[in-house]
Amino acid sequence: MNPITMRRQGGVALLEVMIAVILLGIGLLGAIGLQARSYSALADAGQRAEATIQADKLVAMINNDVANIGGYALAANATPGAALAPWVAETRALIPGAAAVVTVAQQGTRWRVDITITWRRKQGTDSNSHQVTAYVI
């Protein structure tokens, strides 16, 4: 082979390795970003599941105490009554920074109960909200 041709080919393998390393690095950064987003989505889903469970618990409590259904109403930023205080404390323990609003309205022979639980997962982000409507007879 001609020595001049060999000198021209001398750095091609190194260049190929450098390009492969750059592509691998970009792929790894993408995988790390995807992992971080999936962790964030998992945390949101966990808090939404807790809100669903807590709303279901409150509906069950109200069903067992229909005679005192008016005591379960809770306005935004209000102090909960004696019947609702343990539920509010448990909800705030399970969902940090949670706030609840419970409206109770009679509709004919039944009661409509709207439960809204809001929380903010991270400072500076939009608040999440979960609302459940139940009818109690």
Side-chain angles (χ1 to χ4, degrees):
M1 240 189 170
N2 188 347
I4 296 174
T5 306
M6 290 186 85
R7 274 192 223 137
R8 283 190 196 159
Q9 297 288 326
V12 173
L14 182 61
L15 184 61
E16 288 176 357
V17 169
M18 288 174 54
I19 290 172
V21 167
I22 289 172
L23 290 175
L24 178 66
I26 290 171
L28 288 174
L29 284 175
I32 291 169
L34 186 61
Q35 181 71 23
R37 288 185 57 98
S38 96
Y39 178 75
S40 175
L42 180 65
D44 285 342
Q47 289 180 333
R48 190 164 302 280
E50 286 295 340
T52 302
I53 292 167
Q54 287 304 108
D56 189 47
K57 281 182 182 180
L58 182 57
V59 169
M61 286 171 48
I62 291 171
N63 271 325
N64 288 328
D65 192 20
V66 177
N68 300 315
I69 198 167
Y72 290 95
L74 178 65
N77 300 321
T79 302
L84 200 55
W87 178 83
V88 170
E90 181 182 5
T91 301
R92 287 182 181 153
L94 292 170
I95 306 169
V101 174
V102 181
T103 58
V104 177
Q106 189 167 11
Q107 294 182 336
T109 60
R110 64 184 182 173
W111 294 86
R112 177 183 169 147
V113 179
D114 291 315
I115 304 165
T116 304
I117 301 172
T118 57
W119 69 94
R120 189 178 312 271
R121 193 175 72 78
K122 287 192 311 189
Q123 192 72 10
T125 61
D126 292 337
S127 64
N128 295 321
S129 180
H130 185 71
Q131 182 175 1
V132 173
T133 299
Y135 293 93
V136 178
I137 297 175

